[in-house]
Amino acid sequence: VGALLIWVPAGAAGVHERALLSSPVLSPSTLPAPAVVDGFQAPVPANGSLNHVACRTAANCIAVGEYVNSAGVDMTLAEAWKPNAWKVVPTPNPVGSRGSVLSSLSCVSVSNCTAVGHYTSGTGVQLTLAEAWNGTTWKVVLTPNPAGALLSVLYGVSCTSASNCSAVGGYEKNTGGFVTLAEAWNGTAWKVIPTPNPGGSTSIELGSVFCTAASACDAVGYFINLGAYVTLAETWNGTAWKLAPTATPSGAEESVLDGVACVSVSNCVGV
């Protein structure tokens, strides 16, 4: 049995910790019960984990992750919360994949969710993965991978409508180095969007994204500079991604941002 731990301060409208990046704020008293004050129990399969949860109401939540099947292969996992119980919901896996993971999701309604992650192809290459929920079933949605990439992964996604989503992650170039990756959904197809990378680093990735509008997204992650991890942030203005300055704790040897949430274009918190 696994546990989903969620804490949202009462009155902190719009400020979500990473597991609720795409959900309206729910105070502890309205979180799905039963069990502990700061969480709730979910029926995770053996050798499984849930990586992200999104709630549109106190009575409707969806969580995604992965589990290991009897053949030892990672498979996508989704669960839905209805009053008083979690239920495993069947999810597809790319044909011929050697392993699939859903890392993040965003829901614009109870019948429209988008989840992203990655899968390992039959030839052993990691590729981007997206799945869509229509309120009844999940289906795999085709995602592109950067030309010449040796591997590509998506870690975070945020949607402002059924026709507008942004996903972020990273990919390994065939010339060496791991760099940032962003993709955009227009309601019909996913498209790779160019992203900048800090100079002098060969290991850079974006792990989380939050959009307050189709033309306003913030993504965070890290890059390695002279062997040390340094915080990274980028902003989307509807046309292009740009690097944004980040603060680093005084005396820190390494710093990483794993999640971000915004209440407006000018007000975001990264953790």
Side-chain angles (χ1 to χ4, degrees):
V1 177
L4 285 172
L5 299 181
I6 297 176
W7 178 77
V8 180
V15 181
H16 314 237
E17 52 86 36
R18 189 172 187 182
L20 284 173
L21 287 179
S22 56
S23 313
V25 170
L26 302 176
S27 68
S29 63
T30 60
L31 285 172
V36 292
V37 173
D38 62 349
F40 48 89
Q41 299 296 311
V44 181
N47 299 317
S49 64
L50 292 170
N51 299 323
H52 201 119
V53 61
C55 300
R56 295 304 305 177
T57 69
N60 192 292
C61 298
I62 294 179
V64 295
E66 78 275 0
Y67 73 98
V68 180
N69 68 10
S70 58
V73 177
D74 283 330
M75 306 291 283
T76 56
L77 170 65
E79 300 189 12
W81 168 262
K82 301 296 182 183
N84 302 317
W86 282 93
K87 179 182 179 181
V88 173
V89 179
T91 51
N93 293 270
V95 176
S97 69
R98 296 183 182 179
S100 308
V101 175
L102 293 175
S103 300
S104 179
L105 84 160
S106 181
C107 298
V108 296
S109 72
V110 296
S111 60
N112 191 299
C113 297
T114 298
V116 299
H118 66 273
Y119 73 98
T120 302
S121 70
T123 58
V125 178
Q126 285 190 334
L127 301 170
T128 57
L129 171 64
E131 300 195 5
W133 169 254
N134 63 7
T136 305
T137 58
W138 285 95
K139 71 173 183 178
V140 173
V141 180
L142 182 66
T143 53
N145 294 275
L150 299 181
L151 68 87
S152 309
V153 294
L154 293 173
Y155 295 124
V157 64
S158 182
C159 302
T160 59
S161 71
S163 60
N164 190 281
C165 298
S166 291
V168 298
Y171 71 97
E172 184 178 356
K173 300 188 296 182
N174 56 8
T175 55
F178 198 86
V179 296
T180 56
L181 170 62
E183 300 193 7
W185 169 256
N186 63 7
T188 303
W190 285 95
K191 179 182 178 181
V192 173
I193 305 296
T195 51
N197 293 278
S201 178
T202 57
S203 185
I204 316 161
E205 70 176 35
L206 295 170
S208 179
V209 61
F210 195 106
C211 300
T212 54
S215 59
C217 299
D218 287 84
V220 299
Y222 73 88
F223 67 99
I224 297 179
N225 182 37
L226 299 177
Y229 287 81
V230 181
T231 56
L232 171 66
E234 300 193 8
T235 60
W236 169 255
N237 62 9
T239 303
W241 283 97
K242 297 181 179 180
L243 293 172
T246 57
T248 299
S250 177
E253 295 184 0
E254 295 187 346
S255 305
V256 174
L257 291 173
D258 291 321
V260 62
C262 305
V263 294
S264 70
V265 175
S266 60
N267 193 319
C268 296
V269 175
V271 296

